Amino acid sequence: MAQTINFRPPSGAAPKTTTGAATRDSSCLIDSSRTDQKFSQTLPILPKSNYGLTFSERPAFPIFKTKTSAKQVFLSLESEDGENVYQNFLPLTTEVGFITINFPQDAPNLVINKKYKWTMAFICGKMLKPDSPSISGWIQQVPKSQSLSAKLKSASPVDRIAVYGENGIWYDMINELNQLKKQNPSNQTLSSAWDKLIKDHVVQQTKSATQNK
């Protein structure tokens, strides 16, 4: 690796005090059969602030998904001032582990410098209910300077991830690192970088998270 991948949290923060842990009855998002006690609950992969930046107007939302009966999620996106921007049901993969929920094709592009709260309610029964378990996070698209755009364009995949981290661009960094790690499963350097980012910055990753409802 030409660069070490580190994350420098940006100066901004989520406009409201929230947590990324599942809300209400989260039992269908908890896999009690996991013996390692690590990531036993479906969670958003976000920094401790529960807020992250992106350069993309159509980003993907990274989550850790446990084994669950849910086959759909209800994704909602609202602006910082509470305006409902998007709502729709999306299919949920049966895959377990670190996955991304792609930005829906029918959703409007993010507006630069505007903060949005996204919420995923998991349909664990036949329909969406007021007590359906959910996870949430904040996202903000920020502009790229001309010099940074040129730097990213000429960078190797690993160097590009490192540049994202240096500039506090969480969503792009974590999504591209996860993709690169999957493409190179035997690369211990990438795996170590991923594990360190998760350990240092993602807060709800231990057994205690299952108690936060």
Side-chain angles (χ1 to χ4, degrees), residues 130-155:
D131 62 348
S132 293
S134 65
I135 59 176
S136 63
W138 287 86
I139 189 167
Q140 180 181 1
Q141 183 196 3
V142 293
K144 281 182 287 190
S145 66
Q146 189 173 2
S147 60
L148 189 55
S149 294
K151 189 175 183 180
L152 287 167
K153 187 175 182 180
S154 62

Side-chain angles (χ1 to χ4, degrees), residues 1 181 184-195:
M1 290 176 63
K181 184 171 65 73
N184 301 273
S186 61
N187 189 314
Q188 291 301 312
T189 305
L190 291 173
S191 296
S192 297
W194 172 270
D195 290 343

